[in-house]
Amino acid sequence: MLSKVSEAVAVPKRHAVRYGLMVLVLAVTLPIALTLNSLHVPTAFATMLLAVMFSVWRFGIGPGLVASVFTIFSIRFFLLEPLYTIDPFALPDEELHVFLLFGEAILLLWLLGSAQRRAQEKLRASEAYLADAQALSQTGSVRLIVPDAEVFWSAQAYRVLGYSNDISPSVQRMIARVHPGDVALVHSRFFQLTEPAKRIDFEHRIVMPDGTLKQIAVLGKAELERGGKIRVSAAVMDMTEAKRISASLRKSQAELAHVTRLTAMGELVASISHEINQPLAAIKLNAETGVRWLDREPPQLDDVRLSLSRIIDNAARAGALISNLRNMSKKAEAQTRPLDLNHVVTDVVQILQREAQDKNIRCMIDLDSNLKLVEADEVQLQQILVNFLMNGFDAMATTPESERQISIRSRNCEDSVAVEVRDAGLGIPEGVAGRLFDAFFTTKLHGMGIGLSICRTIAEAHGGKVEAFNNEDRGATFRIVLPQASALVA
Ligand code: ADP
């Protein structure tokens, strides 16, 4: 086992105990010294010196100093003639020299003892840090001299190998733990090295007495010693827990990937129903209107034709939405082409005209006649604007009818094009601005919270962005910004 300074010189922790024991040692030593002195034994002073040495070594620097000072005074007071005075100058010259010599010797002993004690304490502290670090990292250290098979284990190495600290380390004991399938490997890489190696790095299994397996990583080096021997120093790390965690991480990742796929499917289903709802509602509305025109006497065939053509438009739009969503789910490329966003705006406003009329909402359009083209998929951009407008309609449900107005504006920006939809509704509720575009975020009773997240996905797929903010007076503005087609080419 690695030698342990701390164990050899452990000093009692409590001050009172250390000082108390020091007093006890002096109380025993002084009568012995007095007796020896009265018998004219010349080692009487030396007995006192031993007491000082013992005090510094066993009780530390403070008690050692007290013992030194006390001893100097005792020698003067009890052992040197004239007795019972502490005046050193009452001593004859020769005795004074002896006394000074002993005084110096005692102080020197104390100084040396203190220096040694400090060194021991530093060593003990660094030993403790090392032991802590080894315990925390589950890493022990092992040293081996080949071919003598002399082995040293650190305290943590004992723990890794599952041996109690009181047994002596040996190669046999190490091999006894190695998994039978790995014995040959451990021999060749560790116990039977024949030449120095800059890096030893391998893993093997060990079997504990209760049959559990541990995965051990060995990292070290082998150096040439005097006499042609080889000294192997290595860190042995218990990787069992780390391996278990990484296996469970891999399992969680696989589960996460599965859940993500399911979520994506769920989102797809949710977005299909969300997007298809609006054209289906329009088809139903137009069909009912058509029936009413047919029931008239005489039937109003022109109006019936208009209703039917609206039904055809909405059915085509529903079909386009479905194929678009299918493309998105297949990660197919969007059908992009240079597009005038003004046309997209007018188309969408037309699609939603009936809806707006039913809800008594005025739609104001303010289009930039020099609007630059964008490179985009038309149906996807319609989707964004339909979402913005439908949300605006919802937000104005409680706005007085005379104030229900939605404005759609297109503008060129530096190298992008922006379309904004501004409503006069409730505005974005406080504290939720950062989450509006997250999937499944909704503040509506029957909302799905999917529309704006689709808008963001589409905008970002086009190299653009969507933004939302509250207006100064009332309501909110939602904006899509896309790069100009010319900027993309450049
Ligand atoms: P849904 O409409 O199903 O709630 P969206 O993703 O379209 O899902 O919208 C998410 C949330 O964003 C809405 O629930 C609402 O809180 C907020 N929001 C969207 N548009 C507006 C708007 N014009 N004014 C105020 N809040 C809005």
Side-chain angles (χ1 to χ4, degrees):
M1 191 172 29
L2 292 180
S3 68
K4 281 200 165 185
V5 178
S6 45
E7 272 173 18
V9 288
V11 166
K13 282 209 174 78
R14 294 177 55 189
H15 284 293
V17 176
R18 284 156 55 198
Y19 280 92
L21 288 173
M22 178 269 294
V23 170
L24 195 68
V25 167
L26 293 181
V28 172
T29 318
L30 189 59
I32 296 174
L34 289 177
T35 314
L36 291 174
N37 196 44
S38 65
L39 298 171
H40 301 290
V41 177
T43 51
F45 290 4
T47 316
M48 298 297 288
L49 278 183
L50 283 176
V52 171
M53 271 172 70
F54 184 78
S55 299
V56 181
W57 173 65
R58 205 64 193 83
F59 311 129
I61 298 169
L65 181 62
V66 175
S68 305
V69 173
F70 176 79
T71 302
I72 292 171
F73 278 104
S74 309
I75 288 174
R76 171 65 200 94
F77 199 77
F78 295 114
L79 302 181
L80 293 173
E81 306 267 354
L83 297 175
Y84 312 125
T85 167
I86 55 167
D87 179 8
F89 299 107
L91 291 168
D93 273 358
E94 211 171 297
E95 299 259 310
L96 181 61
H97 286 149
V98 174
F99 174 67
L100 289 177
L101 203 67
F102 265 95
E104 279 169 21
I106 286 173
L107 288 177
L108 198 66
L109 271 179
W110 175 76
L111 279 174
L112 288 175
S114 309
Q116 193 208 8
R117 157 97 9 234
R118 278 199 196 96
Q120 283 170 346
E121 258 149 26
K122 270 193 193 158
L123 199 57
R124 200 173 52 225
S126 74
E127 223 181 46
Y129 287 141
L130 183 66
D132 281 354
Q134 291 203 350
L136 282 172
S137 62
Q138 303 259 315
T139 305
S141 51
V142 170
R143 257 176 51 206
L144 167 75
I145 307 289
V146 185
D148 296 359
E150 204 183 308
V151 190
F152 302 86
W153 295 343
S154 72
Q156 185 61 24
Y158 274 88
R159 255 168 261 153
V160 171
L161 292 168
Y163 283 116
S164 74
N165 278 18
D166 47 9
I167 62 135
S168 49
S170 74
V171 170
Q172 287 70 26
R173 288 197 160 114
M174 288 180 86
I175 292 173
R177 288 277 188 263
V178 177
H179 186 278
D182 295 341
V183 171
L185 169 86
V186 178
H187 270 304
S188 67
R189 306 286 292 272
F190 202 71
F191 295 119
Q192 290 169 356
L193 280 174
T194 49
E195 49 189 44
K198 277 203 185 116
R199 187 181 168 89
I200 300 170
D201 186 355
F202 67 99
E203 287 193 14
H204 68 91
R205 293 158 296 170
I206 61 174
V207 189
M208 304 306 278
D210 63 2
T212 51
L213 275 184
K214 277 190 189 175
Q215 190 70 32
I216 304 293
V218 181
L219 191 65
K221 60 180 178 178
E223 289 164 317
L224 204 58
E225 283 257 294
R226 260 182 274 145
K229 295 177 183 174
I230 292 183
R231 192 183 63 227
V232 188
S233 320
V236 286
M237 277 163 277
D238 184 351
M239 304 295 288
T240 320
E241 187 62 9
K243 293 244 165 181
R244 194 189 60 73
I245 290 172
S246 90
S248 88
L249 195 65
R250 272 199 306 278
K251 191 162 162 260
S252 311
Q253 275 169 346
E255 282 167 2
L256 186 65
H258 182 61
V259 171
T260 310
R261 269 202 302 278
L262 289 181
T263 311
M265 275 172 63
E267 273 185 52
L268 189 66
V269 171
S271 56
I272 289 173
S273 42
H274 181 268
E275 297 305 323
I276 295 305
N277 242 359
Q278 193 279 325
L280 282 184
I283 287 171
K284 181 168 175 273
L285 199 74
N286 280 298
E288 286 165 357
T289 321
V291 170
R292 275 205 301 278
W293 289 128
L294 270 179
D295 287 347
R296 287 279 171 93
E297 220 30 83
Q300 303 291 308
L301 293 183
D302 282 348
D303 290 323
V304 173
R305 197 167 290 115
L306 186 66
S307 294
L308 285 176
S309 78
R310 280 189 183 149
I311 289 174
I312 292 169
D313 284 352
N314 277 293
R317 197 175 123 66
L321 280 171
I322 286 184
S323 73
N324 215 36
L325 285 166
R326 209 173 46 216
N327 284 346
M328 270 164 54
S329 74
K330 281 195 283 176
K331 297 251 179 306
E333 289 285 307
Q335 306 285 315
T336 63
R337 61 183 175 82
L339 204 69
D340 182 351
L341 278 182
N342 286 344
H343 288 154
V344 182
V345 171
T346 43
D347 284 351
V348 168
V349 169
Q350 196 171 358
I351 291 168
L352 296 181
Q353 206 174 22
R354 280 297 294 263
E355 187 107 18
Q357 274 169 10
D358 287 352
K359 294 182 169 159
N360 292 317
I361 296 171
R362 264 173 302 139
C363 286
M364 314 290 287
I365 300 183
D366 170 11
L367 301 176
D368 185 335
S369 52
N370 289 318
L371 199 68
K372 301 281 188 222
L373 299 182
V374 294
E375 183 73 26
D377 181 303
E378 186 172 9
V379 180
Q380 289 189 359
L381 291 197
Q382 281 180 357
Q383 253 173 291
I384 296 184
L385 289 181
V386 168
N387 266 308
F388 283 0
L389 283 163
M390 295 293 285
N391 276 337
F393 293 174
D394 288 349
M396 288 191 288
T398 53
T399 305
E401 283 189 4
S402 59
E403 294 163 30
R404 289 185 194 167
Q405 173 171 317
I406 206 154
S407 330
I408 306 142
R409 213 166 78 110
S410 66
R411 284 289 176 271
N412 285 321
C413 307
E414 208 173 312
D415 48 9
S416 53
V417 177
V419 176
E420 328 187 308
V421 176
R422 179 190 167 96
D423 63 55
L426 292 169
I428 300 162
E430 211 168 309
V432 304
R435 292 155 58 204
L436 287 186
F437 295 97
D438 290 350
F440 305 117
F441 173 79
T442 182
T443 55
K444 298 176 194 168
L445 195 58
H446 299 293
M448 280 201 290
I450 201 82
L452 288 182
S453 93
I454 294 176
C455 294
R456 181 170 64 180
T457 310
I458 295 175
E460 288 174 358
H462 283 80
K465 59 181 176 178
V466 279
E467 296 167 336
F469 48 88
N470 275 328
N471 304 327
E472 269 168 22
D473 44 358
R474 70 182 304 172
T477 296
F478 282 72
R479 176 193 289 158
I480 170 160
V481 184
L482 294 176
Q484 290 175 10
S486 52
L488 284 177
V489 175

